[in-house]
């Protein structure tokens, strides 16, 4: 990809919140143009969960943008920092991961990131390689470069300190360790979410202390989940997983609000801001229906993580099911062993994998999110009959269907 300097800056900073400092990024790109040297771009991921969602891909996409311009990107797996636990945004000490959990989660990351990044041009590294080699005296010298007052400038530490909530000493090591990663890799640019700004700036500070040219810090917004309120999170259930099936991914994306759609276009696609604003103006003028714009968004994202054919099939199936109000073609048939002639609907949902817990199943029922044979059920004491001669059609939300057969001994 060949772009002028100004075009490169516009492309690389698209969607960014902070570029600290912007003048240094321009200077680094100018040096690259004159010397042929490529920038080293770093993003660190602690393997705290086994799967990635679209919120994670916002910063991975920006890595891809640098990669397209020929720069070196390092996907850094924080196997060492994962043992500490990133306290960012936490009101209490975060549980530390075991080495077994870290290794298992890291293995899944290596598979998932290549849905966006070029595997032949991506460096995968582990920060235990240098952090694990630091001696006790090395850590003491590193800790001496940052004051407690500086640490308490970090918003979450400050709030916990003022609220007299505990802060463990090992949590102060996290920003130090992340910052030292940049020193070890001699990084030119570090990317992260807006909640990582403090940690990234510590990296600039430590590089300067080490006599290196400090990295440029670039932050990107945190992506709201499907509810449009909270940050996308698996624990909140408002996420789209990178490895969701095409129809599931398409359907989830179609559930977002019309307003949130434009942020998704900005952060989850390579379309220019000008193109996005042009479509937004067309919607406002009544020239483009927001549903059509959202279908194009969903199809664009599914194509990137799956294929053009699978995206087309997902859209066709979505329109068939939801626009025409038909049932999906492939509804799973599930046989459940029960110990009585009737079973609570909530229990059956959990046994069938349609709800993660009894409490969540009851919540779905009371909110009208469960249908049995096409009829909404709101009674948490509702039961299913094991003597039914035919499978029972159950629907949870808009996209989960199953035909349940209950077998009683």
């Amino acid at each position: 990809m060949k772009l002028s300097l100004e075009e490169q800056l516009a492309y690389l900073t698209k969607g960014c919140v902070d570029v600290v400092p912007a003048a240094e990024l321009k200077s680094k790109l100018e040096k690259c143009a004159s010397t042929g040297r490529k920038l080293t771009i770093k993003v660190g991921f602690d393997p705290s969960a086994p799967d990635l969602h679209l919120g994670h891909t916002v910063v991975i996409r920006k890595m891809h943008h640098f990669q397209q311009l020929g720069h070196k990107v390092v996907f850094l797996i924080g196997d060492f920092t994962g043992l500490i636990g990133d306290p960012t945004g936490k009101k209490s000490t975060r549980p530390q991961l075991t080495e077994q959990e870290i290794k298992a989660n890291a293995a899944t990351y290596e598979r998932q990131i290549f849905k966006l990044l070029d595997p032949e041009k991506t460096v995968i590294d582990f920060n235990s390689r240098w952090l694990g080699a630091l001696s006790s005296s090395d850590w003491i010298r590193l800790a001496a470069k940052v004051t407690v007052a500086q640490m308490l400038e970090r918003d979450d530490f400050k709030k916990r300190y003022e609220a007299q909530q505990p802060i463990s000493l090992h949590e102060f090591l996290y920003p130090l360790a992340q910052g030292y990663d940049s020193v070890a890799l001699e990084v030119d640019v570090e990317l992260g979410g807006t909640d990582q700004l403090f940690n990234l700036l510590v990296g600039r500070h430590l590089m300067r202390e080490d006599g290196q040219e400090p990295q440029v810090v670039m932050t990107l917004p945190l992506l709201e989940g499907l509810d449009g309120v909270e940050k996308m999170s698996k624990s909140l259930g408002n996420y789209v997983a990178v490895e969701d099936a095409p129809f599931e991914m398409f359907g989830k994306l179609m559930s977002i609000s019309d307003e949130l759609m434009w942020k998704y276009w900005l952060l989850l696609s390579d379309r220019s801001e000008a193109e996005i604003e042009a479509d937004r103006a067309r919607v406002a003028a009544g020239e483009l229906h927001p549903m059509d714009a959202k279908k194009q968004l969903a199809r664009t994202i599914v194509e990137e993580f799956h294929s053009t054919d699978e995206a087309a099939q997902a859209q066709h199936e979505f329109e068939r099911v939801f626009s025409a109000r038909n049932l999906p073609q492939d509804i799973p048939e599930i046989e459940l062993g029960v110990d009585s002639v009737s079973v609570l609907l909530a229990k059956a949902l959990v046994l069938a994998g349609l709800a993660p817990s009894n409490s969540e199943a009851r919540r779905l029922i009371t909110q009208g999110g469960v249908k049995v044979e096409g009829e909404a059920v709101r009674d948490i004491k509702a039961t299913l009959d094991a003597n039914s001669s035919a499978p029972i059609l159950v629907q949870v939300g808009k996209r989960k269907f199953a035909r349940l057969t209950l077998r009683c001994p």
Side-chain angles (χ1 to χ4, degrees):
M1 179 182 288
K2 292 185 178 181
L3 300 175
S4 68
L5 178 62
E6 294 305 318
E7 288 172 332
Q8 288 181 50
L9 284 168
Y11 187 56
L12 294 174
T13 59
K14 171 200 164 191
C16 288
V17 176
D18 304 291
V19 181
V20 184
E24 284 187 19
L25 176 62
K26 183 177 182 180
S27 176
K28 287 176 183 287
L29 291 173
E30 286 174 335
K31 288 180 183 177
C32 288
S34 62
T35 65
R37 174 183 175 272
K38 301 304 180 183
L39 300 179
T40 296
I41 317 301
K42 173 195 118 182
V43 179
F45 279 82
D46 279 354
S48 56
D51 52 359
L52 299 176
H53 55 62
L54 293 188
H56 296 122
T57 69
V58 173
V59 70
I60 296 174
R61 179 175 301 279
K62 189 58 63 179
M63 294 175 73
H64 177 59
H65 292 167
F66 276 99
Q67 200 170 61
Q68 286 177 304
L69 295 177
H71 299 293
K72 172 186 174 182
V73 300
V74 180
F75 186 92
L76 183 62
I77 296 176
D79 58 335
F80 187 95
T81 43
L83 293 171
I84 302 173
D86 184 5
T88 299
K90 303 299 176 183
K91 296 180 180 179
S92 60
T93 302
R94 180 171 176 170
Q96 295 166 262
L97 298 173
T98 66
E99 289 189 31
Q100 291 75 19
E101 289 171 328
I102 288 172
K103 289 179 180 178
N105 294 345
T108 68
Y109 283 13
E110 292 185 48
R111 179 183 72 247
Q112 294 172 75
I113 63 171
F114 294 136
K115 290 179 178 289
L116 283 178
L117 299 178
D118 185 337
E120 295 183 0
K121 298 178 180 179
T122 303
V123 176
I124 295 178
D125 214 333
F126 295 80
N127 63 8
S128 62
R129 188 164 64 85
W130 48 85
L131 292 175
L134 293 180
S135 66
S136 299
S137 57
D138 290 331
W139 277 106
I140 291 171
R141 281 191 289 270
L142 182 61
K145 295 180 179 180
V146 179
T147 68
V148 172
Q150 285 175 305
M151 285 293 182
L152 290 177
E153 289 176 6
R154 185 166 139 165
D155 189 56
D156 45 10
F157 285 155
K158 181 179 179 181
K159 288 179 178 177
R160 284 163 60 187
Y161 182 76
E162 291 176 347
Q164 297 185 343
Q165 294 175 332
I167 304 172
S168 297
L169 281 176
H170 80 282
E171 294 182 84
F172 282 170
L173 296 179
Y174 192 96
L176 282 174
Q178 183 173 335
Y180 188 77
D181 290 342
S182 297
V183 173
L185 292 170
E186 299 185 1
V187 172
D188 293 295
V189 178
E190 183 171 12
L191 308 174
T194 52
D195 59 343
Q196 289 288 315
L197 180 59
F198 179 90
N199 291 355
L200 273 56
L201 291 175
V202 170
R204 272 182 64 83
H205 172 73
L206 292 180
M207 292 182 78
R208 192 181 293 111
E209 289 283 309
D210 196 64
Q212 297 183 20
E213 182 178 316
Q215 64 186 13
V216 171
V217 166
M218 298 175 66
T219 68
L220 290 125
L222 303 179
L223 187 70
E224 290 87 356
L226 303 177
D227 55 9
V229 179
E230 300 288 346
K231 182 178 77 170
M232 186 174 285
S233 166
K234 185 175 180 181
S235 63
L236 295 175
N238 64 351
Y239 71 105
V240 182
V242 165
E243 296 190 315
D244 272 345
F247 176 68
E248 181 77 2
M249 182 178 285
F250 194 98
K252 285 182 177 181
L253 290 166
M254 290 301 296
S255 74
I256 65 175
S257 69
D258 293 348
E259 183 60 29
L260 185 59
M261 165 177 64
W262 303 113
K263 187 171 185 179
Y264 275 46
W265 266 122
L266 179 67
L267 300 178
L268 300 177
S269 83
D270 289 338
R271 296 186 75 194
S272 70
E273 293 185 71
E275 290 173 318
I276 295 167
E277 286 305 313
D279 271 357
R280 191 167 190 167
R282 289 176 61 205
V283 168
E287 299 170 3
L288 174 65
H289 196 286
M291 177 69 77
D292 292 329
K294 202 179 298 181
K295 285 180 182 178
Q296 186 183 358
L297 169 69
R299 185 160 175 166
T300 298
I301 293 174
V302 174
E303 280 183 0
E304 189 160 45
F305 290 99
H306 294 282
S307 70
T308 300
D309 287 345
E310 288 172 306
Q313 292 169 7
Q315 180 173 347
H316 175 76
E317 181 69 357
F318 176 86
E319 291 170 343
R320 193 188 74 81
V321 173
F322 297 106
S323 299
R325 300 299 178 189
N326 293 320
L327 295 174
Q329 293 179 330
D330 300 318
I331 298 178
E333 296 189 4
I334 302 173
E335 185 171 309
L336 303 177
V338 296
D339 53 12
S340 62
V341 295
S342 66
V343 62
L344 285 171
L345 173 60
K347 181 178 179 180
L349 295 180
V350 176
L351 290 174
L354 298 173
S357 65
N358 286 326
S359 59
E360 178 65 10
R362 290 192 292 269
R363 185 188 68 79
L364 288 166
I365 292 169
T366 56
Q367 293 182 354
V370 178
K371 292 182 180 179
V372 176
E373 297 295 346
E375 297 293 329
V377 178
R378 293 179 178 271
D379 183 1
I380 60 172
K381 295 182 179 179
T383 60
L384 298 180
D385 186 1
N387 290 324
S388 175
S389 59
I392 303 168
L393 176 64
V394 175
Q395 178 183 349
V396 177
K398 294 181 178 180
R399 294 175 294 276
K400 291 183 180 179
F401 294 83
R403 286 192 168 93
L404 306 182
T405 299
L406 278 59
R407 299 296 186 197
C408 180

